[in-house]
Amino acid sequence: MDNNQNQTAFNNKDLDEETLFVVSQTFKALGDPTRIRILNLLIHHEYSVNGIAETLQLRQSTVSHQLRFLKNLRLVKYRREGTTLYYSQDDEHVMNMLKQMIDHACHN
Amino acid sequence: MDNNQNQTAFNNKDLDEETLFVVSQTFKALGDPTRIRILNLLIHHEYSVNGIAETLQLRQSTVSHQLRFLKNLRLVKYRREGTTLYYSQDDEHVMNMLKQMIDHACHN
DNA sequence: TGTATATATTAGTATATGTTCATATTATAA
DNA sequence: TTATAATATGAACATATACTAATATATACA
């Protein structure tokens, strides 16, 4: 039996610390209006940092900070073109959950 | 055309304020380890407040505070039996997202 | 090399959040 | 009514979070 097996497989009552950390961090990323707006933009296509800032009426600094947050969680990635960085989504599963929740919230 | 129609349907670039609030609040609820552990317990069956506290090794007060949080978002409900309140899940969709994310986090 | 543009980083600040202790409330039973 | 058990609430505290202004870094190009 695999030592790295998660507790879900054992149907245990509590979650192991690492799973708990990853899950809470990921949901936390989706738990802020600014990050949701950024990710919602990136559903459709890539954007530069300034592109996001202008579209969402946010400071460049704010966008950059939140992108770093999302990048650390591998929820977004970027490609460089000259001095411009184009950010795009990097976790299809999480993006699907975001879409689901937006639809869930809209169907009231 | 319906005035209450959400912006997702229009494929707009930004989300309306109310959707943004509901979505971020819901994800915020899932963005805390304690609340995740509580909800993860309630996946299987109902628990009393003290039952949760004992199982997860948390203070009664902590559990009660977090249950109020989850109750306000209609993520949990309760039924009374004497002086005991049995809490259970009340949003199948959100619970499914939690399960999905836990599985997602485990499959590393 | 020097300048311009795009982005990242740092430090400061205000606010939000989670936990705890102490206490209040509620319902039951003697 | 009084006592007990279960839960809720309020206040205080420490920590986390998000935003901003100012500045640093990096790339391209003249």
Side-chain angles (χ1 to χ4, degrees):
Chain A
M1 177 116 39
D2 187 358
N3 264 339
N4 287 326
Q5 186 123 23
N6 63 66
Q7 301 194 333
T8 304
F10 291 145
N11 208 20
N12 278 358
K13 288 180 180 177
D14 205 2
L15 298 165
D16 67 279
E17 224 177 297
E18 194 187 324
T19 301
L20 207 53
F21 181 76
V22 174
V23 172
S24 63
Q25 280 297 113
T26 309
F27 278 129
K28 204 169 284 183
L30 301 173
D32 173 74
T34 301
R35 286 191 292 268
I36 291 175
R37 294 174 73 207
I38 291 174
L39 289 174
N40 181 60
L41 261 195
L42 301 184
I43 285 177
H44 309 303
H45 55 84
E46 66 178 14
Y47 275 84
S48 69
V49 179
N50 275 335
I52 296 171
E54 284 160 26
T55 307
L56 301 182
Q57 291 287 91
L58 297 167
R59 312 272 173 175
Q60 177 267 326
S61 177
T62 299
V63 174
S64 185
H65 277 299
Q66 299 297 4
L67 284 173
R68 180 170 61 170
F69 186 109
L70 297 170
K71 182 77 174 50
N72 286 338
L73 288 171
R74 297 176 191 280
L75 263 40
V76 301
K77 61 180 189 284
Y78 66 81
R79 69 179 180 86
R80 177 181 287 281
E81 200 167 291
T83 55
T84 303
L85 304 185
Y86 290 96
Y87 279 83
S88 56
Q89 55 170 104
D90 198 27
D91 190 322
E92 209 178 321
H93 186 257
V94 170
M95 289 303 271
N96 275 329
M97 301 196 72
L98 176 58
K99 282 187 228 171
Q100 277 181 52
M101 192 68 89
I102 290 171
D103 285 347
H104 188 239
C106 288
H107 295 343
N108 287 328
Chain B
M1 177 111 44
D2 188 358
N3 265 339
N4 287 328
Q5 186 122 23
N6 65 65
Q7 301 194 332
T8 303
F10 291 143
N11 208 19
N12 278 359
K13 287 180 180 176
D14 204 1
L15 299 165
D16 68 278
E17 224 177 297
E18 194 186 325
T19 301
L20 208 52
F21 182 75
V22 174
V23 171
S24 64
Q25 280 296 114
T26 309
F27 278 129
K28 204 169 285 183
L30 301 173
D32 174 72
T34 302
R35 287 191 292 268
I36 292 176
R37 295 173 73 207
I38 291 174
L39 289 174
N40 181 60
L41 261 196
L42 301 184
I43 285 177
H44 309 304
H45 55 84
E46 65 179 15
Y47 275 84
S48 70
V49 178
N50 275 336
I52 296 171
E54 284 161 26
T55 306
L56 301 181
Q57 293 286 91
L58 296 167
R59 311 272 173 174
Q60 176 267 325
S61 177
T62 299
V63 175
S64 185
H65 277 300
Q66 299 296 5
L67 284 173
R68 181 170 59 172
F69 187 109
L70 298 170
K71 182 77 173 53
N72 286 337
L73 288 171
R74 297 176 190 280
L75 264 39
V76 301
K77 61 179 190 284
Y78 64 82
R79 70 178 179 86
R80 178 180 286 282
E81 199 167 290
T83 55
T84 303
L85 303 185
Y86 290 97
Y87 278 83
S88 57
Q89 55 170 104
D90 198 27
D91 190 321
E92 209 178 321
H93 186 258
V94 170
M95 290 301 272
N96 274 329
M97 301 196 71
L98 176 59
K99 282 186 228 172
Q100 277 181 53
M101 191 69 89
I102 290 172
D103 285 347
H104 188 239
C106 288
H107 295 343
N108 286 329

